[in-house]
Amino acid sequence: MRALPDQITISEVSKRSGVAASALRYYETLGLINAERTEGNQRRYPRAILRRVAVIQVAQGLGLSLTEIAAALAALPAGRGPTPADWERMADAWRAGLEARIASLTKLRDSLSSCIGCGCLSLETCALFNREDRAAVRGAGARYLMGDRPEG
Amino acid sequence: MRALPDQITISEVSKRSGVAASALRYYETLGLINAERTEGNQRRYPRAILRRVAVIQVAQGLGLSLTEIAAALAALPAGRGPTPADWERMADAWRAGLEARIASLTKLRDSLSSCIGCGCLSLETCALFNREDRAAVRGAGARYLMGDRPEG
DNA sequence: TATTGACTTCAAGTTCGCTTGAAGTTGTAC
DNA sequence: GTACAACTTCAAGCGAACTTGAAGTCAATA
């Protein structure tokens, strides 16, 4: 009565979630997930890991970095899947982020449209040069795309 | 009567455009910009370079990769700034891309909202797992974020 | 003329989210 | 008990968009 029936291997998690085993190991180094080990040091996951991985995927799809996701998941009980309440709280915060992103993209589009309309080439004074708008466009990766550095 | 008054140095371009000199040199290796050289091999730019760099910045802000921008700029006369007509053509194409991005983010937000509403945790069947939506979120960088690989 | 600051090239480093490969260990099925 | 797939760790590589550093050259000024 040692091995519970819901211990699954990394390749099974990989198959069921669509996330490569190497990626799952990588997530572990970042503290997004964790696993118990067999006597021979192999990972064994509880079934609830699938939900946790699913949430990670959704969050990534929303454009969050793994670090941000790690922070969100850190608020949850240990290595298990989130409860409906947890999920609701997270999703709500993420939706707000999404909406902000949509808003700035819309603003950007409007600027571009009016820029086309007026045929302006005095770009220096153009609304498109608003830094905030530009920063909001970037998705995952390329975090230091523009103006994020101290630059001595 | 050799040196025309509109030849500016790389540091001046950098100051006026806000783009680091190292970045300008990098752009040159990618064919985005180019410069004449002094006898001593230093770069000298025509003033029109500022408009060209400005357009690069706007395009980046819209989420285009430098390679994509290079392709767009390749249609323009040599190393000079774009004419109003050029700009209009490019901006129009870019606006279309922006609108597509806004549309998929909006769809994503709606999925997330309904997901919150129903409190669903059967994430596997959730609209948020639609790959197309997720792929559309990424901005500059992280091109192979999900599902872009052959994966033997 | 000498110095200083701006410039040059080239190679290597950075971040993010992984993948790939090497070299060795474990688990399972026969 | 042995074969073989699946696992382990660790180091290195990728791609985008740059930055940083080294080592040397050029331009302007006192």
Side-chain angles (χ1 to χ4, degrees), chain A residues 113-131:
Chain A
S113 296
S114 73
C115 211
I116 294 170
C118 75
C120 82
L121 266 174
S122 64
L123 292 172
E124 290 80 3
T125 66
C126 181
L128 289 169
F129 282 83
N130 182 324
R131 285 187 167 249

Side-chain angles (χ1 to χ4, degrees), chain B residues 9 11 25 37 43 144:
Chain B
T9 66
S11 66
R25 288 190 205 102
R37 300 293 184 125
R43 290 170 181 82
Y144 52 89

